[in-house]
Amino acid sequence: MYAIVDIETTGGHAESNSITEIAVFIHDGGKVVQRFETLLKPARYIPPYISAYTGITNEMVENAPQFDDIAEELFSVLKGNIFVAHNVNFDYSFIRSHLKSSGIEYNSKKLCTVRLSRKIFPGLRSYSLGNICSFVGIDIQNRHRAAGDAIATVELFEKILKEDTDGVIDDFLKRGSKEQMLPPNLPRQQFDELPEKQGVYYFHDENGKIIYVGKAVNIKRRVSTHFGGNSTRKQKQDFLRNIYSISTEILATELMALIHESIEIKRHWPEFNKALKKPEFAFGIYDYEDQNGYIRLCIDRVRKHTKPLDTFQNLTEAINAMEKIVGEFELCPKLCMLQTKPGSCESFEAGMCKGACCGKDDHTGYNIRVNTAINNMLQKESYAIIDKGIQGNELSCILVENGKFYGMGYLPKEISFNEIENVKEYIKPLKENFFIRELLKSSAVPENTRIIYFEENVLSS
């Protein structure tokens, strides 16, 4: 027996919204044998835009029963039957959550007429209830009301039953069937064709826009974890409802996948990614020469078309780095913008500054120390992280030049070269970000990985 269900609600997720109307039609595979329908007084006010959409107003439900009042009866109607709905996880999550709040644990097998329609009537642009009913010749009466949409779903389900000559419904109901857990708008074939390899995956919406980027050691296994459970949270419900397709990019190593994921999140700014979207390199250390001939260092915000000597995610990091430079190279805190009081700096008075702030330290000698500090900031290690490639005849390479991430790519396995410029021929330049910088600082080199350092453009291991 099938319980074909439709509900109307105060909003799009069960965590903080209520059911305003419910219709259940019990179907024996041939005809409807029982029906249950009622308006419900929700626990929260019905927003005007919802009333405009469904036609259900706060006045209409003022004297209607609350969910607790009908919970036992509803459970008795649903119990033991297969739960069927158009975009089943939406209706199921609401009813399961509401029953739980009423002290009733409810679990059932489910069938989604969106996913069934994709199998039985392939090739449509949209599988919304209105579009699929129009395609199969069903006239929906009383649209966006529970009974009207439920009756349409009954008729659609009957057509699916009639056209199902290959046992599609039986396959959907098998234990462990992916059809039970996949998002309603994602074709099963796309999931089945996902590689069980390492790399980055993308979720796309109806228009092809990237809405989520993730990385995985096993892409297929990781993607399936997104679809498990029956979360009632708005974000999860919206997330699943907006997934229409998946694309992937295979990468040779986990480190490359981590780097590529962070770059793609920064590039596409996907709606459902929260991590790795913080502002990057907000502050930098700059140099300039003042009117007295002293080369001065300062901290300022990083702006387009500027070339800082070094960059930092926040002001605190920049100040800490400047203080370290001042101490290491015997520079004047005042000339490095760490102190602003008139006259000589506090460090001079304490005997820790040679007096550039008050003309006691000649600019020639002072500038030599500043330039040494600048060279120290700019001249950092250049190296390549070499690991296995995707193909057997290649090696993967992550290239760092002067301490900054340059890019990554794949090198011919048999090639012999000893200059960084030769390596660059095979490397795709990519934009560095704070996450990549910290990742490369802290990354432990996996077994079978080589790090090759370049000294004055000469290769050395």
Side-chain angles (χ1 to χ4, degrees):
M1 301 279 277
Y2 306 96
I4 300 174
V5 182
D6 192 83
I7 61 174
E8 302 302 331
T9 69
T10 61
H13 58 100
E15 188 176 46
S16 58
N17 285 286
S18 299
I19 299 173
T20 59
E21 189 176 35
I22 183 168
V24 182
F25 292 82
I26 304 302
H27 199 284
D28 65 2
K31 63 183 182 302
V32 172
V33 296
Q34 183 183 356
R35 61 190 294 165
F36 173 90
E37 55 184 287
T38 183
L39 286 167
L40 292 170
K41 184 176 182 179
R44 57 161 292 178
Y45 186 80
I46 303 174
Y49 72 93
I50 293 291
S51 291
Y53 182 73
T54 65
I56 301 172
T57 66
N58 289 285
E59 291 74 23
M60 288 171 61
V61 299
E62 180 61 34
N63 297 316
Q66 295 183 335
F67 188 88
D68 279 349
D69 299 328
I70 59 96
E72 290 287 351
E73 183 181 1
L74 174 63
F75 180 66
S76 69
V77 172
L78 295 173
K79 187 178 180 182
N81 298 313
I82 297 166
F83 192 104
V84 182
H86 206 72
N87 187 7
V88 70
N89 287 329
F90 173 81
D91 303 77
Y92 185 80
S93 67
F94 265 92
I95 289 176
R96 188 169 183 268
S97 175
H98 279 50
L99 285 172
K100 186 174 183 179
S101 296
S102 298
I104 301 172
E105 288 294 332
Y106 173 64
N107 288 286
S108 172
K109 289 185 175 181
K110 299 175 291 180
L111 285 172
C112 179
T113 51
V114 176
R115 299 205 61 78
L116 286 170
S117 296
R118 285 185 175 277
K119 283 285 189 180
I120 303 299
F121 309 109
L124 300 186
R125 185 187 65 81
S126 168
Y127 286 86
S128 67
L129 184 61
N131 195 67
I132 187 63
C133 284
S134 176
F135 176 77
V136 299
I138 297 170
D139 183 21
I140 306 178
Q141 301 293 327
N142 212 11
R143 186 76 168 102
H144 301 308
R145 290 294 299 272
D149 287 353
I151 290 170
T153 306
V154 167
E155 294 183 40
L156 174 60
F157 187 62
E158 288 175 342
K159 289 183 179 291
I160 290 169
L161 286 169
K162 183 179 179 180
E163 297 293 327
D164 183 17
T165 57
D166 296 323
V168 171
I169 292 175
D170 289 340
D171 286 343
F172 275 42
L173 291 172
K174 286 178 182 177
R175 183 182 293 274
S177 170
K178 297 298 182 185
E179 296 289 355
Q180 295 282 2
M181 48 76 95
L182 292 180
N185 298 307
L186 178 68
R188 169 69 185 272
Q189 183 180 357
Q190 283 206 13
F191 178 82
D192 290 342
E193 292 176 352
L194 288 175
E196 296 190 55
K197 294 182 178 180
Q198 192 161 243
V200 170
Y201 57 92
Y202 306 81
F203 292 151
H204 303 260
D205 68 9
E206 187 175 12
N207 299 313
K209 181 181 178 182
I210 293 171
I211 59 172
Y212 185 85
V213 177
K215 79 92 188 172
V217 174
N218 182 313
I219 291 175
K220 190 170 189 176
R221 187 184 306 146
R222 177 68 183 96
V223 166
S224 69
T225 66
H226 287 287
F227 307 146
N230 291 290
S231 173
T232 60
R233 292 183 300 113
K234 180 182 187 301
Q235 183 184 14
K236 183 65 176 288
Q237 291 290 321
D238 289 346
F239 176 57
L240 296 177
R241 194 179 300 121
N242 279 283
I243 298 173
Y244 280 75
S245 63
I246 307 174
S247 60
T248 63
E249 183 166 351
I250 305 302
L251 292 155
T253 69
E254 185 175 10
L255 184 57
M256 292 181 84
L258 282 165
I259 290 171
H260 194 65
E261 177 195 34
S262 73
I263 290 170
E264 292 295 89
I265 289 173
K266 300 290 184 187
R267 186 159 73 98
H268 296 287
W269 214 250
E271 178 182 355
F272 293 98
N273 282 98
K274 300 303 178 186
L276 304 181
K277 288 171 77 171
K278 295 178 181 178
E280 292 290 333
F281 303 139
F283 291 89
I285 293 179
Y286 296 85
D287 66 315
Y288 70 96
E289 185 175 321
D290 68 14
Q291 59 187 6
N292 296 317
Y294 288 91
I295 299 174
R296 305 184 67 163
L297 300 179
C298 68
I299 296 170
D300 198 1
R301 288 192 174 276
V302 174
R303 296 178 175 84
K304 285 185 178 181
H305 311 302
T306 64
K307 293 184 178 181
L309 301 169
D310 207 346
T311 50
F312 308 89
Q313 194 174 34
N314 55 59
L315 182 59
T316 301
E317 289 181 358
I319 291 172
N320 290 340
M322 186 73 88
E323 289 175 343
K324 184 178 179 181
I325 291 167
V326 167
E328 185 175 350
F329 295 95
E330 298 180 294
L331 304 184
C332 174
K334 187 172 182 180
L335 268 60
C336 294
M337 303 300 186
L338 293 177
Q339 295 179 22
T340 58
K341 80 179 195 71
S344 58
C345 69
E346 295 174 3
S347 297
F348 176 72
E349 295 168 7
M352 295 183 293
C353 169
K354 295 185 177 182
C357 50
C358 55
K360 301 291 185 182
D361 186 9
D362 178 75
H363 70 81
T364 303
Y366 182 82
N367 288 350
I368 290 173
R369 300 199 301 277
V370 175
N371 282 321
T372 302
I374 290 172
N375 289 334
N376 186 71
M377 278 188 277
L378 294 177
Q379 292 181 359
K380 297 180 180 178
E381 288 182 322
S382 296
Y383 60 92
I385 300 174
I386 306 297
D387 206 332
K388 63 182 180 181
I390 295 174
Q391 307 296 329
N393 62 346
E394 67 184 12
L395 298 168
S396 66
C397 176
I398 298 169
L399 184 62
V400 175
E401 185 177 32
N402 291 328
K404 292 186 177 181
F405 172 70
Y406 177 85
M408 57 190 188
Y410 297 93
L411 316 175
K413 199 169 187 177
E414 70 281 357
I415 198 168
S416 176
F417 47 82
N418 59 6
E419 292 185 0
I420 194 169
E421 294 303 320
N422 290 342
V423 178
K424 284 183 178 180
E425 291 181 18
Y426 299 92
I427 301 300
K428 179 181 180 180
L430 297 166
K431 188 176 181 180
E432 184 187 50
N433 60 52
F434 180 78
F435 175 81
I436 295 174
R437 180 183 292 187
E438 294 303 302
L439 181 67
L440 293 176
K441 281 182 183 177
S442 62
S443 178
V445 179
E447 190 177 353
N448 300 323
T449 299
R450 289 184 294 155
I451 296 184
I452 298 175
Y453 293 90
F454 298 92
E455 296 178 2
E456 297 181 357
N457 284 338
V458 177
L459 199 66
S460 66
S461 296

